Amino acid sequence: MKRKASLAWLLTMLTAALAAPVHADVNVGVTVSATGPAASLGIPEKNTLTLAPTTIAGQKINYIVLDDASDTTTAVKNTRKLIAENKVDVVIGSTTTPNSLAMIDVAAEAQTPMISMAAGTRIIEPMDAKRAWVFKVPQSDAQMATAIVEHMTNNHVRTVAYVGFANAYGEGWWNEFSKIAEVRKIQIVANERFNPTDTSVTGQVLKILAAKPDAVLVGGSGTPAALPQKALKEKGYKGIMYQTHGAANADFLRVCGKDCDGTFMPTGPVLVAAQLPDSNPIKKVALEYVNKYEAAYGKGSVSAFGAYAWDATMLLGNAIPEALKKGQPGTPEFRKALRDAIESTKNLTATHGVFNMSPQDHLGFDQRARVMVRIDGGGWKLVQ
């Protein structure tokens, strides 16, 4: 009798185990620019992923992180490898706009959701069948360009010179900034380009100085964005300097040094989290990230770029529980459900803003996602 009872109990347990849903791990593929010209942006992103949650809704989360060395071809190869070999459910990356744009076709073809950590508006616009699989977490160029133009008009800037990267980031910024500046009656007197790997911009700087602009906007990212600013200062330029949110990190401050004091730029609230009023809903979430990152990597090490990676994981933390209701990790059904859940994100407060996405808006940020800061004594000061 005891043996029969034991067999019956074992059969019951086996039946229950077979009936219970068995979830595979959620695999998150990441490609970042941890080396190369964009390394100052990619390293804090990579660092942040070491702090990301390893369990969501009871599911184990595996992060497979690859370095694309700031190279577009490598970013595409990494994306293909993550999807084909590592069977990832979602791709986070890459760090830069050119890399992210190149990855779109691969993600869309595999019907795998992608969350870019690059700012270019073209990553998610215009919406089409391919971009339906793509989201991004940094503020768009248009949002930040508007903030810069508003600051310029408030400070009586009438003429401005633009010097930007000779790639998709620089062109994206030129397209957005020039449109808004024209509407606000700001005359652009110079339009120059340089490469992230350049070591001299003397020719471009001389043309800018000859145009005698009230202000100069540098459309670059990471430490290479410091090159034209330092060159302008060395040649005696005394006008107002602006940088984009692509330069919002400590390495840029280190490389640019005193030549950056007084520079204005738009950025996400996380960079000046402690200076935000307590009434700002982003302050608490941003400070939690800042404290966690600086506890691991040192005081003053936080950057806007690491926070982009954190916000990407927050999107996943919000979407994965919903996706699990409709499919198992590792399946097309789960990837589709994850895409749908990210697109349905509402009122998710992150370190850079509050996400409210829709089928036509795969960023979902409003004005709360941007602040103007001034570089003051090698640090960031909120401009009230």
Side-chain angles (χ1 to χ4, degrees), residues 38-202:
S40 67
L41 316 183
I43 289 172
E45 292 171 347
K46 184 178 180 180
N47 289 346
T48 294
L49 290 165
T50 66
L51 309 174
T54 54
T55 303
I56 297 174
Q59 290 297 117
K60 183 181 178 183
I61 311 297
N62 299 318
Y63 299 93
I64 302 102
V65 183
L66 303 178
D67 176 21
D68 57 42
S70 308
D71 177 70
T72 299
T73 301
T74 305
V76 172
K77 288 180 179 178
N78 285 354
T79 306
R80 292 192 185 280
K81 181 179 187 298
L82 290 166
I83 292 172
E85 298 179 23
N86 299 109
K87 310 297 182 184
V88 299
D89 298 295
V90 58
V91 174
I92 297 177
S94 177
T95 302
T96 68
T97 294
N99 286 8
S100 295
L101 287 171
M103 292 162 53
I104 291 174
D105 284 349
V106 181
E109 180 183 354
Q111 295 193 333
T112 300
M114 166 183 157
I115 304 174
S116 173
M117 297 181 289
T121 303
R122 286 175 51 214
I123 295 168
I124 57 171
E125 294 181 12
M127 183 54 62
D128 55 23
K130 291 180 179 179
R131 289 178 175 84
W133 289 91
V134 181
F135 305 86
K136 76 184 190 75
V137 284
Q139 303 83 344
S140 289
D141 304 337
Q143 286 177 306
M144 296 310 212
T146 300
I148 287 176
V149 172
E150 287 177 356
H151 189 272
M152 286 180 174
T153 55
N154 290 338
N155 287 274
H156 311 294
V157 171
R158 296 290 178 262
T159 60
V160 62
Y162 178 78
V163 52
F165 280 171
N167 63 19
Y169 185 83
E171 287 303 311
W173 258 93
W174 163 254
N175 292 336
E176 298 300 337
F177 173 73
S178 60
K179 287 187 296 186
I180 300 167
E182 182 180 5
V183 171
R184 298 300 291 269
K185 309 300 182 185
I186 296 175
Q187 182 183 4
I188 301 178
V189 296
N191 176 14
E192 299 295 325
R193 295 290 185 276
F194 69 106
N195 293 305
T197 53
D198 285 349
T199 56
S200 174
V201 287
T202 301

